[in-house]
C-alpha cells in the first residue's frame, strides 16, 4: 500500500492533532503580579478516568471526558470516517488524542500490518512537517502489531504516538506537548500511552 492511498484516511487526523497543540501553546495564562505574602496555588491536577470507545473496542485513561470529533474522508475505497477523542488539561501545554479509522473489510483482511504502520508513520511526519526522533516496533496487550514513534516539528512541538493495526482498524494514541513541558510530563504521558488497550470484537 502506498503513502498516496493512506493519505486521505489519516491526514485530517494528524493535522487536527497538531493544530490542537498550537492552540495549547499559544493560550498562555495572563501573568499578574503576586503580592509578596500571597500564597502561590498549585495548578489543579486533572482527574484521570477510564474512557471506553463508543463501540467498546478500546479503552484508555484520559484526564477528563474527551471531546469527540468525526471527520469523513473520501477515498478510492469510498467514504471512511476518522474518529478523534481529544482532551486538553487546563493550564498544561499538552493534548491527549486517540484517533482511529476502519478500513473496508476486504482491504483490512488483506493489508500487511507493517506496511500500514510504516505508511502511517511517514504520513505523520510529512503532514506535520516533523523530524523523527526515535521509533520502535511494539505490540498491543493482546498481541496486535504496532509502532511507537516520537517526532518534533519546526515549532518545537513534540509528539509521542503509538499506532496499532487490529481487526481492520488503525489506532493512533498520541500525546502532543511543548519543549517546555516535555520532561515534566514524561511519566504522565507514558502512563497514558501504557493504559491504552485494544478490545477484540467477537
Amino acid at each position: 500500500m502506498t503513502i498516496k492511498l493512506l493519505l486521505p484516511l489519516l491526514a485530517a487526523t494528524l493535522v487536527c492533532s497538531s493544530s490542537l497543540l498550537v492552540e495549547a501553546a499559544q493560550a498562555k495564562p495572563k501573568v499578574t503580579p503576586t503580592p509578596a505574602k500571597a500564597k502561590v496555588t498549585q495548578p489543579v491536577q486533572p482527574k484521570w478516568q477510564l474512557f471506553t470507545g463508543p463501540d467498546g473496542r478500546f479503552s484508555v485513561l484520559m484526564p477528563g471526558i474527551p471531546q469527540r470529533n468525526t471527520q469523513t474522508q473520501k477515498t478510492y475505497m469510498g467514504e471512511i470516517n476518522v474518529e478523534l477523542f481529544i482532551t486538553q488539561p487546563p493550564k498544561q501545554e499538552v493534548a491527549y488524542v486517540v484517533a482511529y479509522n476502519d478500513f473496508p473489510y476486504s482491504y483490512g483482511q488483506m493489508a500487511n500490518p507493517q506496511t500500514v504502520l510504516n505508511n502511517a508513520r511517514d504520513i505523520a511526519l510529512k503532514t506535520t512537517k516533523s523530524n523523527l526522533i526515535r521509533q520502535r516496533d511494539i505490540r498491543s496487550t493482546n498481541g496486535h502489531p504496532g509502532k511507537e514513534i516520537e517526532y518534533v516539528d519546526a515549532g518545537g512541538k513534540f509528539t509521542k504516538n503509538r499506532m496499532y493495526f487490529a481487526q481492520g482498524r488503525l489506532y493512533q494514541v498520541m500525546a502532543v506537548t511543548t519543549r517546555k513541558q516535555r520532561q515534566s510530563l514524561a511519566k504522565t504521558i507514558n502512563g497514558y500511552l501504557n493504559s491504552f488497550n485494544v478490545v477484540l470484537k467477537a
Side-chain angles (χ1 to χ4, degrees):
M1 185 175 186
T2 65
I3 294 175
K4 185 177 179 181
L5 298 182
L6 254 182
L7 184 57
L9 307 181
L10 300 177
T13 296
L14 297 167
V15 169
C16 181
S17 64
S18 178
S19 64
L20 278 172
L21 190 66
V22 172
E23 295 172 5
Q26 291 176 346
K28 295 180 180 178
K30 295 180 180 178
V31 178
T32 54
T34 303
K37 294 183 179 180
K39 292 183 179 179
V40 179
T41 58
Q42 295 296 322
V44 177
Q45 294 299 317
K47 183 178 180 181
W48 289 77
Q49 54 190 306
L50 186 66
F51 173 74
T52 301
D55 61 1
R57 290 181 58 186
F58 75 87
S59 65
V60 65
L61 286 173
M62 297 193 90
I65 299 173
Q67 177 182 351
R68 182 179 183 179
N69 184 292
T70 303
Q71 299 179 6
T72 300
Q73 301 293 317
K74 291 183 179 180
T75 76
Y76 77 100
M77 292 181 281
E79 290 188 346
I80 292 180
N81 289 334
V82 178
E83 301 284 350
L84 296 113
F85 302 88
I86 307 153
T87 56
Q88 287 183 266
K91 299 182 181 180
Q92 290 186 13
E93 295 173 355
V94 62
Y96 298 96
V97 184
V98 176
Y100 70 79
N101 63 271
D102 290 308
F103 294 103
Y105 179 80
S106 57
Y107 175 79
Q109 295 300 306
M110 295 186 297
N112 180 293
Q114 286 304 319
T115 299
V116 173
L117 294 168
N118 287 340
N119 286 339
R121 172 203 60 206
D122 294 342
I123 292 168
L125 298 174
K126 181 178 179 180
T127 305
T128 59
K129 298 179 180 178
S130 297
N131 293 318
L132 183 67
I133 299 173
R134 63 179 60 87
Q135 65 177 326
R136 66 187 179 103
D137 292 331
I138 57 175
R139 286 195 172 271
S140 68
T141 53
N142 44 21
H144 287 286
K147 185 178 291 291
E148 178 185 277
I149 59 175
E150 292 183 65
Y151 49 94
V152 59
D153 70 10
K157 292 180 292 295
F158 289 83
T159 299
K160 193 166 186 179
N161 182 351
R162 288 185 184 175
M163 304 175 288
Y164 302 97
F165 186 59
Q167 297 184 317
R169 174 177 288 184
L170 176 65
Y171 295 94
Q172 297 193 60
V173 190
M174 297 172 273
V176 192
T177 189
T178 58
R179 185 183 303 275
K180 176 183 176 182
Q181 293 205 329
R182 183 187 179 201
Q183 292 301 323
S184 62
L185 290 172
K187 288 184 179 180
T188 301
I189 288 172
N190 282 334
Y192 157 71
L193 295 171
N194 290 337
S195 74
F196 181 81
N197 285 298
V198 176
V199 179
L200 301 181
K201 64 180 181 179

